[in-house]
Every structure is written in structure tokens, then in C-alpha cells.
Amino acid sequence: MIQIKPVPAKFTHVVRHPVLRPGKPIDTCIFEGDDLSSTKHFGLYFNEDLIGVISVFENKSSIFNHPNQLQIRGMAVLEKFQGKGYGRLLVNEVENYAKKVKSNLIWFNARENAAKFYKILGYEIYGSLFDIAGIGLHYVMYKQI
Ligand SMILES: CC(C)(COP(=O)(O)OP(=O)(O)OC[C@H]1O[C@@H](n2cnc3c(N)ncnc32)[C@H](O)[C@@H]1OP(=O)(O)O)[C@@H](O)C(=O)NCCC(=O)NCCS
């Protein structure tokens, strides 16, 4: 059974660590703002196991003019479960949340190799590739909701 539900920030580490920060200290899975009340974390459960996570921050990028912007961070599905549609479900969950809180723009820094995934979900690239030190090349991507 698949279920998506809000989870505390700390729960995300079990997926963030192997997928987004492999081989790095567990502390690197703590993101600034994780514990703010305006930040939401969603977990996708496969039966009892948390296998996918996505976090959404109230964070305005100076690139966009929209007043109520949300930033996705920490999007990850455990490797064994990738390519089965779970990432799409997590992004859909955040889009529904964005509508609920009347945000009309979602943006994030997308890893270069995940850009196609987000394009399939209707996100567009803004600008050129840039490097995030120690993590790799990224695009800013966004979608108006
Ligand atoms: C990127 C990621 C979150 C996608 O989640 P997922 O569960 O594997 O994706 P889904 O199965 O929901 O895929 C939805 C669609 O995107 C495609 N897709 C998924 N990942 C892709 C990728 N990296 N490149 C190209 N297409 C991809 C799927 O084939 C599917 O296409 P379809 O609808 O035409 O069949 C997941 O693969 C992951 O955690 N990757 C490693 C970490 C990462 O890069 N996170 C993003 C950081 S910005």
C-alpha cells in the first residue's frame, strides 16, 4: 500500500542520506529551515517503509516576482523504488499543498540529471547550469501553479 503523509524533518534523513548525501556525514541531511513551522515535509510510505521524501520551504527567489513562492528541496526516492511513479506522486502532493496555501509558483534547484523528470511534470528551466559546491550541476526550475 502506498501512502503519502506529512512527516517530521528528522524522518526525511533515512531517504535524504543514501540518495542525496551518500557517504557524507548525517548532519549534511539537515537543511537550514527544516524545522520552521512554515516548512513541510512529506513522506511516501510503501507499506510500513518510508521510501520517498520531499520538502517544501516558504522561500522567495529574487528571480521571480510572485509574492507566495515555495521552494522544493530534498526530493528523493530510494534507488530500489525509483522509476515506479513515486516521485511524480510526491511532486503532485506538493502542488496540491501549494494550491491549498495559495502559492502560485514552485521553484527549486534541480540536479542536472533530474531535469528531465521535472520537465515531464511541467517544470521549466530558468537560466543556465550552475554548480553547487560538493553536490554538482543544477538548473533553476519552476512552474506556475
Ligand atoms: C529524480 C527522482 C526524484 C524521480 O523519482 P522517480 O520515482 O524515480 O520518478 P517517477 O517514476 O515518478 O518518474 C516520472 C517520470 O519521469 C521519468 N524520470 C524519472 N527520473 C528521471 C531521470 N532522472 N531522467 C529522466 N527521466 C526521469 C520517468 O521515466 C517517468 O516518465 P514517464 O511518466 O514518461 O514514464 C528519483 O529518481 C531520485 O530520487 N533520484 C535521485 C535523487 C535526485 O536526483 N533527486 C532530485 C534532486 S533535484
Side-chain angles (χ1 to χ4, degrees):
M1 192 188 72
I2 300 297
Q3 196 188 1
I4 297 182
K5 56 186 180 189
V7 292
K10 224 172 165 202
F11 281 30
T12 63
H13 298 181
V14 70
V15 182
R16 281 184 186 175
H17 195 227
V19 182
L20 298 174
R21 301 287 185 272
K24 297 194 172 160
I26 193 81
D27 282 6
T28 61
C29 295
I30 301 169
F31 299 165
E32 199 186 331
D34 260 350
D35 286 323
L36 293 174
S37 59
S38 55
T39 300
K40 300 292 169 214
H41 308 275
F42 297 97
L44 187 146
Y45 285 81
F46 181 85
N47 296 327
E48 303 301 310
D49 299 323
L50 182 58
I51 59 119
V53 293
I54 190 168
S55 303
V56 64
F57 294 67
E58 262 180 29
N59 193 14
K60 194 171 179 326
S61 163
S62 56
I63 294 171
F64 307 106
N65 286 323
H66 297 66
N68 298 318
Q69 301 178 24
L70 291 176
Q71 180 187 8
I72 288 176
R73 295 194 67 193
M75 166 79 207
V77 174
L78 289 180
E79 194 174 353
K80 199 171 110 184
F81 294 91
Q82 291 173 8
K84 299 180 191 300
Y86 300 144
R88 181 195 294 271
L89 292 178
L90 283 163
V91 173
N92 287 345
E93 186 75 20
V94 161
E95 292 180 357
N96 289 336
Y97 171 75
K99 286 176 198 152
K100 218 165 74 184
V101 298
K102 309 231 180 305
S103 165
N104 50 9
L105 187 120
I106 296 175
W107 72 276
F108 44 85
N109 298 321
R111 291 179 180 210
E112 183 184 20
N113 57 11
K116 194 162 170 220
F117 162 72
Y118 292 117
K119 273 190 181 170
I120 289 170
L121 302 187
Y123 288 81
E124 290 176 57
I125 288 175
Y126 175 92
S128 318
L129 269 177
F130 63 97
D131 190 45
I132 298 184
I135 316 262
L137 294 172
H138 288 72
Y139 288 109
V140 170
M141 295 190 77
Y142 68 98
K143 183 176 177 177
Q144 298 193 52
I145 300 296

